[in-house]
Amino acid sequence: MDFSVKKLASGAGVFFTRAVQFTEEKLGQAEKTELDAHFENLLSRADSTKNWTEKILRQTEVLLQPNPSARIEEFLYEKLDRKIPSRITNGELLGQYMVDAASEFGPGTSYGSTLIKVGEAQRRLGAADRDFIQSSMINFLTPLRNFLEGDWKTILRERRLLENRRLDLDASKTRLKKAKAAEAKAAATPDFQETRPRNYVLSASASAAEQELRVAQTEFDRQAEVTRLLLEGISSTHINHLRCLHEFVEAQATYYAQCYQYTVDLQKLLGSSDGEMFPGAFVGETNTQVPPSGVSPSAATIPVVPAVVGPCNPSAPSMTFTEVSPPSTGTRKARVLYDYDAADSSELELLADELITVYSLPGMDSDWLMGEKGNKKGKVPVTYLELLN
């Protein structure tokens, strides 16, 4: 019990001494031991690494899991050391809904069979999304999190210990300075009756302060070396994070390549069955739309060029639009989406929301259709139309 009380009192005394030294430094009443420039650069580099690693980690988590509730749930599972339950992705859920809808509408119908094809593709896209998330969590986020929760906490602990050693060192310097000043003052104004005892006490006090300073300096130097080695290890951390970053980019490239391939395969599959689903569909139909107000259609979307029935012979004699009569079959009604100013007399002027008749001609560019409203005829861009029947 006595030992515990003495230890507690000693610890309280050390804490009080450090607090006094820290306060006097802030008030400018005590000198502070400054670290060298190289050490300060290492500290600044470590702080910067920690701050940016935190930001990159948090934003990557948002990218992989946009739902904040799901992120909080995963965080709680990690803190409780419990396995995070497997969660179905949005793509897989959408695919399941489409397949279930096809079962109710009838898989033998055109709509039902298409729902099944699109639903299976959505499932594959969702599975690719889940694989990308898992790969990124293991190869990218885990190393970043290990640095913040492991190496960085060790660096913080050693930095706090170094700061305590510095406060002890500066407090010892202050005590030695005061002891030297008192000894010099006593030597300058001696008291002949008490000279020997007083000088002896002051000399002993100065010697004890010098010994305490040597011990404090040794402990400070040792702790500064330990902290410096840890801070220099930040270079190895950067190399490790660089490797993880490469793995993240590779996983992302693989994911997007898979998504592209799945969607292209689905597009081809649906395109090959267009004739069966829409036997009365006219040649050159496309559903591609572009935004209004001057945005280039080719820049906004990547339309799929449909197959044109019949060979295209560029050397065939051209006909003027007034000579072309609409075919007996294949004409359709279309609603104009946006205003369109004709570039020349071969094009038709369009106003938003008006209805026109459109049809395709052999050898005609797939991005254009022949339009007719009233007695006027001319080319119209497909991307400005919504085909109605």
Side-chain angles (χ1 to χ4, degrees):
M1 182 66 181
D2 293 340
F3 175 77
S4 299
V5 172
K6 291 179 180 179
K7 186 176 180 180
L8 181 62
S10 176
V14 171
F15 177 80
F16 178 76
T17 302
R18 292 171 180 170
V20 170
Q21 178 65 27
F22 181 81
T23 303
E24 290 180 350
E25 289 176 357
K26 292 298 182 182
L27 296 176
Q29 298 175 358
E31 296 182 359
K32 176 181 178 181
T33 299
E34 299 293 342
L35 301 171
D36 60 84
H38 175 64
F39 202 99
E40 291 289 350
N41 289 335
L42 290 177
L43 290 174
S44 177
R45 187 163 177 252
D47 290 335
S48 179
T49 300
K50 179 260 183 183
N51 293 334
W52 285 111
T53 300
E54 274 187 337
K55 291 181 180 180
I56 292 173
L57 173 66
R58 299 292 175 256
Q59 192 57 37
T60 306
E61 289 176 338
V62 173
L63 173 67
L64 298 179
Q65 179 52 267
N67 188 346
S69 300
R71 292 200 304 272
I72 294 175
E73 180 183 355
E74 293 174 358
F75 174 78
L76 293 177
Y77 273 103
E78 289 180 0
K79 292 302 180 182
L80 296 175
D81 292 331
R82 298 179 59 183
K83 183 179 179 181
I84 301 176
S86 178
R87 182 182 289 107
I88 188 172
T89 62
N90 293 328
E92 291 174 313
L93 185 59
L94 174 60
Q96 185 61 47
Y97 286 166
M98 289 184 173
V99 172
D100 293 344
S103 299
E104 185 170 342
F105 297 150
T109 63
S110 297
Y111 185 38
S113 62
T114 303
L115 277 174
I116 292 177
K117 295 174 184 177
V118 177
E120 291 298 333
Q122 295 302 321
R123 282 178 172 177
R124 289 193 292 271
L125 291 171
D129 186 22
R130 185 176 62 254
D131 293 341
F132 169 60
I133 293 175
Q134 292 177 350
S135 175
S136 300
M137 290 286 292
I138 296 173
N139 299 325
F140 186 60
L141 292 185
T142 298
L144 298 185
R145 191 175 290 111
N146 288 342
F147 165 73
L148 293 174
E149 297 179 356
D151 296 347
W152 179 249
K153 288 185 177 180
T154 302
I155 292 175
L156 279 183
R157 183 173 63 252
E158 298 301 328
R159 285 177 65 176
R160 285 194 294 266
L161 187 56
L162 176 63
E163 179 65 12
N164 291 336
R165 294 288 181 263
R166 186 198 63 76
L167 290 172
D168 293 341
L169 175 62
D170 290 339
S172 299
K173 290 179 179 179
T174 301
R175 282 194 293 270
L176 178 60
K177 186 177 180 180
K178 290 180 179 179
K180 291 286 187 182
E183 187 178 12
K185 182 179 180 181
T189 57
D191 186 347
F192 294 103
Q193 296 180 355
E194 300 290 342
T195 296
R196 293 184 61 187
R198 185 179 61 181
N199 289 347
Y200 176 79
V201 171
L202 293 175
S203 178
S205 177
S207 298
E210 288 179 353
Q211 178 62 26
E212 182 182 358
L213 177 60
R214 283 194 295 269
V215 173
Q217 185 69 55
T218 300
E219 292 181 351
F220 173 78
D221 293 340
R222 184 185 299 114
Q223 184 59 36
E225 181 65 17
V226 172
T227 308
R228 183 184 63 80
L229 292 175
L230 289 174
L231 294 174
E232 289 178 348
I234 293 294
S235 298
S236 299
T237 300
H238 285 187
I239 294 174
N240 183 40
H241 289 181
L242 175 62
R243 177 183 57 81
C244 297
L245 188 61
H246 278 279
E247 293 181 358
F248 173 71
V249 173
E250 290 178 3
Q252 198 172 37
T254 301
Y255 166 63
Y256 285 119
Q258 287 178 334
C259 292
Y260 173 76
Q261 188 60 48
Y262 291 153
T263 51
V264 167
D265 292 343
L266 175 62
Q267 201 173 35
K268 292 179 180 179
L269 182 62
L270 296 181
S272 64
S273 58
D274 278 348
E276 300 176 359
M277 291 185 294
F278 305 106
F282 86 117
V283 180
E285 176 183 350
T286 178
N287 291 329
T288 306
Q289 298 182 4
V290 296
S293 67
V295 179
S296 172
S298 60
T301 58
I302 306 177
V304 178
V305 180
V308 179
V309 177
C312 178
N313 184 6
S315 62
S318 60
M319 295 182 295
T320 62
F321 295 113
T322 56
E323 296 173 348
V324 177
S325 58
S328 56
T329 60
T331 59
R332 300 186 65 177
K333 290 293 184 181
R335 184 176 67 88
V336 178
L337 297 175
Y338 322 113
D339 293 345
Y340 178 75
D341 296 329
D344 51 44
S345 59
S346 65
E347 298 178 4
L348 194 62
E349 197 87 14
L350 299 178
L351 296 176
D353 295 328
E354 68 177 340
L355 296 178
I356 63 173
T357 302
V358 294
Y359 52 91
S360 177
L361 296 177
M364 192 173 184
D365 190 342
S366 59
D367 291 335
W368 295 85
L369 294 175
M370 285 298 300
E372 180 178 351
K373 60 175 184 177
N375 296 326
K376 297 182 180 180
K377 298 179 183 178
K379 291 194 305 181
V380 292
V382 174
T383 52
Y384 280 68
L385 303 177
E386 178 186 7
L387 302 174
L388 301 179
N389 58 3

